Amino acid sequence: KNERIKVDENFFDTLLNSGRVVMLLDGLDEVGSEDLRRRVARIVDSFAAAYSQCRIVVTSRIVGYSGAARLGENFATTTVRDFTLADIQQFLTHWHRMVSIGQMGVGESAEKYATDQTEQLLTAIQKNSRVRDLALNPLMLTVIALVHRDRVKLPDRRAELYAEAVDVLLGKWDEARGVQESPILNDRPFDIINRRLMLREIALKMQEKGLREIEADDLNQQLRAAFTPLTKTKAESVSAAERFLTVIRERTGLLVEAGQGVYRFSHLTFQEYLAAVEIAERDDYIAYTLSHVADPTWREPTLLEAGYLSLNSRPKASRLIRAVADHKVEPELFHNLMLAAECLNDVGSTLGNDELANELRNRLKAELEKPLPEVPKGMVSNLLGQAKPVQEKRLVMLLRRMAASSTLSRIESGNFGVVSQFWTLPNGEPQWVTIPAGEFWMGEDKEIHRV
């Protein structure tokens, strides 16, 4: 009636009773209070029972779908999947076609341009595993496509891609569509730069505490404290914090509600990137970074910090990477040297020389060339006697050789990844090597024989 659409009084009842309706109910978790959410869930259950022939789909974030707020047993619970590579290809094909026709009109030239752009972006996504991880998320894939469209080519360095993606989300997207900026402060603008600075502080504090999600009360308290110097009264700082959170949540998609009263960055990479930029701008950036290099959760921020510095201050980037390589405290053999090499790999050619990369390789080669101590003859099996200290030293050196060899191989092949030990692959599985069947020599000295 409000839309001036005239339908029969029994229009909906007739369709519902005949089972000719698909009912889509979005955002159960967005119902404000927990009590009200439970009540709404029961209403949906009652509705489903009354019109049992209809298909009913209810969506909710996982965090908000718990306890008595869950729907009855007649509802099957499933989780929305990320895109597959085929989904990514289909999305980009349609997206580029839409953009090309919008710019060039219908015709062969628009179709060819769209096909070329899709192939180019797909190749760029497939080449970089971290970008590929982002592209699995539909929103992030759209952002990547926007950055690619504006740049014509996706940035080679991740830090540059994330910088542009953050700017797109923080305002460039709305700006391009002619959407007016939402006011946050009463007496002055609060632009992309201001928003980015605010998010950097939030990201670093979450990273320091090992948080992937933050309680709304903690986030609001942090925002109010940040807005206090920018406003005249406490009421104004509270209002500015609320408006900022609304804009970031509803307009940018950088911070999202992970459930009632809980927030997180829409992708962990954004938290890690923004935290990395905040660290890079500190005077004590090297000491701060070194204090966290042993923690695997700080690996990505360290890589992104080096990438960010390489775009803004090459000498600072070189100093950071060398400091990581020289740092003595490490969780396992050559961990820091590997991390430094990976930083160089992420930075690419922006530092302008290969001197440091060659130095890292030479350190590892020196480990491989160190001679093993000789065990006195006749004492090879006498582990409890005079040969024991030598055997132990040989074992330590052999383990170092193995670690150095594996590290050098991964550096030269570019096969980096998070590893718990030097003999494992990025996801923790063992490094399997196929050995063809056949005879081989086994044993030492007089005991050597063919098997």
Side-chain angles (χ1 to χ4, degrees), residues 384-435:
L384 299 176
Q386 192 178 355
K388 185 177 179 182
V390 182
Q391 290 279 30
E392 288 176 346
K393 189 174 182 182
R394 278 174 66 89
L395 179 61
V396 169
M397 290 189 69
L398 279 169
L399 288 172
R400 287 185 68 84
R401 273 192 181 185
M402 288 168 64
S405 176
S406 177
T407 304
L408 183 61
S409 171
R410 290 172 62 207
I411 288 173
E412 291 185 337
S413 67
N415 179 27
F416 297 105
V418 180
V419 291
S420 57
Q421 291 291 343
F422 54 78
W423 57 81
T424 56
L425 289 171
N427 296 315
E429 70 272 23
Q431 177 88 55
W432 294 105
V433 179
T434 301
I435 301 174

Side-chain angles (χ1 to χ4, degrees), residues 28-254:
L28 179 61
D29 62 300
E30 293 173 28
V31 176
S33 72
E34 200 170 332
D35 288 341
L36 186 55
R37 205 177 316 133
R38 286 197 291 267
R39 188 175 159 209
V40 170
R42 298 295 73 78
I43 291 171
V44 173
D45 279 334
S46 299
F47 185 90
Y51 302 106
S52 58
Q53 299 303 308
C54 295
R55 172 78 68 175
I56 300 171
V57 180
V58 183
T59 65
S60 171
R61 289 185 178 90
I62 293 171
V63 178
Y65 189 66
S66 59
R70 291 177 68 89
L71 297 168
E73 60 183 11
N74 289 330
F75 280 88
T77 304
T78 60
T79 306
V80 176
R81 294 190 305 183
D82 284 336
F83 272 177
T84 63
L85 197 57
D87 296 330
I88 291 173
Q89 183 170 3
Q90 183 175 352
F91 176 95
L92 291 179
T93 298
H94 291 310
W95 192 88
H96 282 120
R97 188 170 182 273
M98 178 192 74
V99 170
S100 299
I101 289 173
Q103 293 174 337
M104 304 165 69
V106 178
E108 285 186 21
S109 57
E111 295 285 352
K112 185 179 184 310
Y113 182 75
T115 301
D116 291 344
Q117 289 297 296
T118 297
E119 289 176 0
Q120 189 183 110
L121 184 50
L122 261 179
T123 301
I125 289 170
Q126 288 175 295
K127 274 169 54 181
N128 191 320
S129 61
R130 297 186 189 92
V131 175
R132 192 164 64 245
D133 287 344
L134 276 182
L136 297 175
N137 179 292
L139 169 66
M140 295 321 308
L141 180 59
T142 309
V143 172
I144 289 169
L146 284 166
V147 172
H148 179 260
R149 185 198 66 182
D150 292 344
R151 288 282 303 264
V152 183
K153 178 178 179 290
L154 210 60
D156 293 325
R157 289 175 292 282
R158 291 186 306 135
E160 198 172 358
L161 170 61
Y162 300 151
E164 296 211 20
V166 166
D167 283 353
V168 166
L169 290 168
L170 281 178
K172 283 187 178 177
W173 198 339
D174 279 353
E175 190 179 297
R177 291 183 298 161
V179 177
Q180 195 164 358
E181 180 183 314
S182 302
I184 291 171
L185 295 173
N186 294 329
D187 56 349
R188 73 195 102 152
F190 199 77
D191 59 15
I192 291 175
I193 295 171
N194 300 123
R195 297 175 189 187
R196 195 190 309 120
L197 286 169
M198 193 75 74
L199 287 173
R200 275 167 38 181
E201 293 178 17
I202 294 168
L204 182 57
K205 285 183 179 175
M206 288 177 67
Q207 191 70 27
E208 286 174 335
K209 295 176 181 178
L211 298 176
R212 296 294 171 261
E213 295 175 349
I214 183 171
E215 297 286 338
D217 289 344
D218 294 339
L219 179 58
N220 279 314
Q221 188 176 352
Q222 193 173 323
L223 289 172
R224 287 168 195 163
F227 277 110
T228 296
L230 305 175
T231 51
K232 297 172 184 175
T233 65
K234 183 179 178 181
E236 282 185 24
S237 67
V238 170
S239 179
E242 288 175 355
R243 287 199 292 262
F244 174 80
L245 189 53
T246 299
V247 167
I248 296 301
R249 184 183 69 237
E250 295 180 1
R251 302 303 315 155
T252 75
L254 271 170

Side-chain angles (χ1 to χ4, degrees), residues 278-393:
E278 184 69 7
I279 296 164
E281 295 295 340
R282 295 171 61 129
D283 292 335
D284 64 341
Y285 72 104
I286 289 179
Y288 186 95
T289 303
L290 295 182
S291 68
H292 292 99
V293 289
D295 186 339
T297 63
W298 284 84
R299 173 176 161 273
E300 278 297 309
T302 302
L303 296 175
L304 291 167
E305 179 189 359
Y308 173 80
L309 286 171
S310 73
L311 299 169
N312 297 279
S313 173
R314 292 179 184 180
K316 287 181 74 174
S318 294
R319 285 196 293 272
L320 175 70
I321 295 171
R322 186 175 293 279
V324 170
D326 293 341
H327 192 51
K328 302 301 181 189
V329 180
E330 54 185 358
E332 60 192 32
L333 289 172
F334 309 118
H335 169 277
N336 295 344
L337 205 149
M338 171 69 85
L339 183 59
E342 191 168 1
C343 285
L344 280 174
N345 185 65
D346 247 31
V347 163
S349 59
T350 53
L351 290 184
N353 67 70
D354 296 325
E355 185 181 341
L356 184 52
N358 289 332
E359 183 185 319
L360 300 184
R361 291 190 184 93
N362 289 335
R363 286 195 207 179
L364 292 166
K365 289 174 181 175
E367 285 288 339
L368 297 175
E369 292 165 2
K370 287 181 183 177
L372 294 174
E374 292 292 328
V375 179
K377 288 186 179 179
M379 295 183 180
V380 173
S381 60
N382 184 11
L383 296 180
L384 299 176
Q386 192 178 355
K388 185 177 179 182
V390 182
Q391 290 279 30
E392 288 176 346
K393 189 174 182 182

